Amino acid sequence: LVNNREGLAAVYNNLGVLYMFQGDWTQSEAHFLKSLALEKEHYNLNGISVCYNNLGGLLDDMGDPAKSMYYLEEALNIQKLLSEPYNITNIYNNIGVTLMDHGDYNRAEDALKKSLETAIEFSFYRNTVASLNNLGALYFKKGDWTQSIAYYEQAIKKSQENGFNEGLLRSFNNLGEVYEKQNELNLAYDLYFKGLELLPSVSDDYIKAELYGNLGSVLTKLHKFKDAYRYLVESLDF
């Protein structure tokens, strides 16, 4: 109503994030692009970079790695110009995840290690935990379980030091997957159960679905079918 282009760009961006969390990718992309057009009109470099970063994450979810990498690299170039370390570590992390999702493990490792180095240098503990968890996931995908466990254990320690429950839950869940893969079923169950105890403090339904699914999986392998069924139904609901 008041023709506030900067405010409108921010609202479009936030709506894009909400649609993305709801899984409505078409609406999400449309709102991010509206935000991007407005940010470009008044040359707001930081706003343009935020839009590019969000579009990069969205296009990865949509299965378009080429467009995802284009947006993420554009976002990174702008943040390097602005010398914003918090945003730089976030974007490197997103680049690493996108490359890992599409099997480019060497480049993914390079990006995730750059994210980790920046996060450690500037004491961004949440970003440090995210990078450690993603490096653990990368080595898990590569079949290097020893290195994967080492990264997850570092992430657990960092989360515990800072009372970061979401990061801790993800680490417990991911480390449980490594032990389950190694057929260390009781160890895996203990880690999943530790994650379960943290669930009330976390609002992300995706991690809830994953954790309940993993509990169902390990309990099935332990032949505790009644308990497994309950968790699998919960996972499916989420």
Side-chain angles (χ1 to χ4, degrees):
L1 288 173
V2 297
N3 200 30
N4 181 346
R5 315 290 278 177
E6 192 172 334
L8 191 57
V11 175
Y12 277 137
N13 181 69
N14 290 344
L15 283 167
V17 171
L18 288 169
Y19 280 120
M20 181 164 60
F21 284 155
Q22 291 177 334
D24 189 340
W25 292 335
T26 303
Q27 283 281 13
S28 179
E29 184 179 16
H31 281 80
F32 285 145
L33 290 172
K34 285 179 182 178
S35 180
L36 179 62
L38 288 166
E39 298 288 21
K40 285 182 173 179
E41 276 183 20
H42 56 267
Y43 305 103
N44 178 7
L45 288 180
N46 194 57
I48 292 167
S49 174
V50 167
C51 290
Y52 279 144
N53 188 36
N54 287 340
L55 281 161
L58 177 68
L59 268 294
D60 181 33
D61 288 343
M62 292 170 72
D64 190 336
K67 277 181 86 171
S68 174
M69 285 301 299
Y70 165 76
Y71 284 130
L72 290 171
E73 285 170 352
E74 288 294 307
L76 182 62
N77 289 336
I78 292 170
Q79 290 301 335
K80 284 180 176 178
L81 282 174
L82 297 173
S83 298
E84 291 281 358
Y86 183 81
N87 293 331
I88 288 169
T89 187
N90 267 336
I91 296 167
Y92 268 129
N93 190 56
N94 290 345
I95 288 172
V97 169
T98 297
L99 291 168
M100 175 169 57
D101 284 346
H102 298 281
D104 193 341
Y105 295 150
N106 290 335
R107 287 172 66 207
E109 182 178 4
D110 182 56
L112 290 172
K113 284 185 173 176
K114 284 177 179 173
S115 175
L116 180 62
E117 287 164 10
T118 308
I120 290 171
E121 182 181 351
F122 291 92
S123 301
F124 300 139
Y125 75 86
R126 286 174 180 256
N127 304 71
T128 301
V129 170
S131 298
L132 289 168
N133 273 330
N134 286 329
L135 281 162
L138 175 67
Y139 280 97
F140 178 69
K141 284 175 181 281
K142 290 171 73 171
D144 187 342
W145 292 339
T146 302
Q147 191 75 306
S148 177
I149 289 167
Y151 277 117
Y152 286 142
E153 287 180 342
Q154 287 181 63
I156 287 169
K157 184 180 178 188
K158 194 73 177 173
S159 292
Q160 287 172 330
E161 286 172 359
N162 293 280
F164 182 29
N165 283 349
E166 185 176 339
L168 188 57
L169 192 161
R170 290 182 187 281
S171 300
F172 283 148
N173 180 65
N174 295 350
L175 186 54
E177 288 178 349
V178 181
Y179 283 121
E180 185 179 350
K181 196 80 170 174
Q182 293 180 313
N183 215 35
E184 297 278 1
L185 301 180
N186 289 313
L187 265 175
Y189 174 78
D190 288 344
L191 286 159
Y192 294 148
F193 197 80
K194 284 180 180 177
L196 190 66
E197 291 173 334
L198 294 171
L199 269 187
S201 64
V202 174
S203 59
D204 184 346
D205 283 353
Y206 289 105
I207 190 65
K208 291 176 184 177
E210 195 173 341
L211 182 63
Y212 280 129
N214 285 341
L215 274 163
S217 169
V218 77
L219 286 165
T220 299
K221 291 172 184 172
L222 289 165
H223 295 173
K224 297 181 179 179
F225 302 121
K226 187 176 177 182
D227 290 336
Y229 179 79
R230 180 165 58 89
Y231 286 120
L232 290 169
V233 168
E234 288 279 1
S235 177
L236 184 60
D237 285 347
F238 279 117

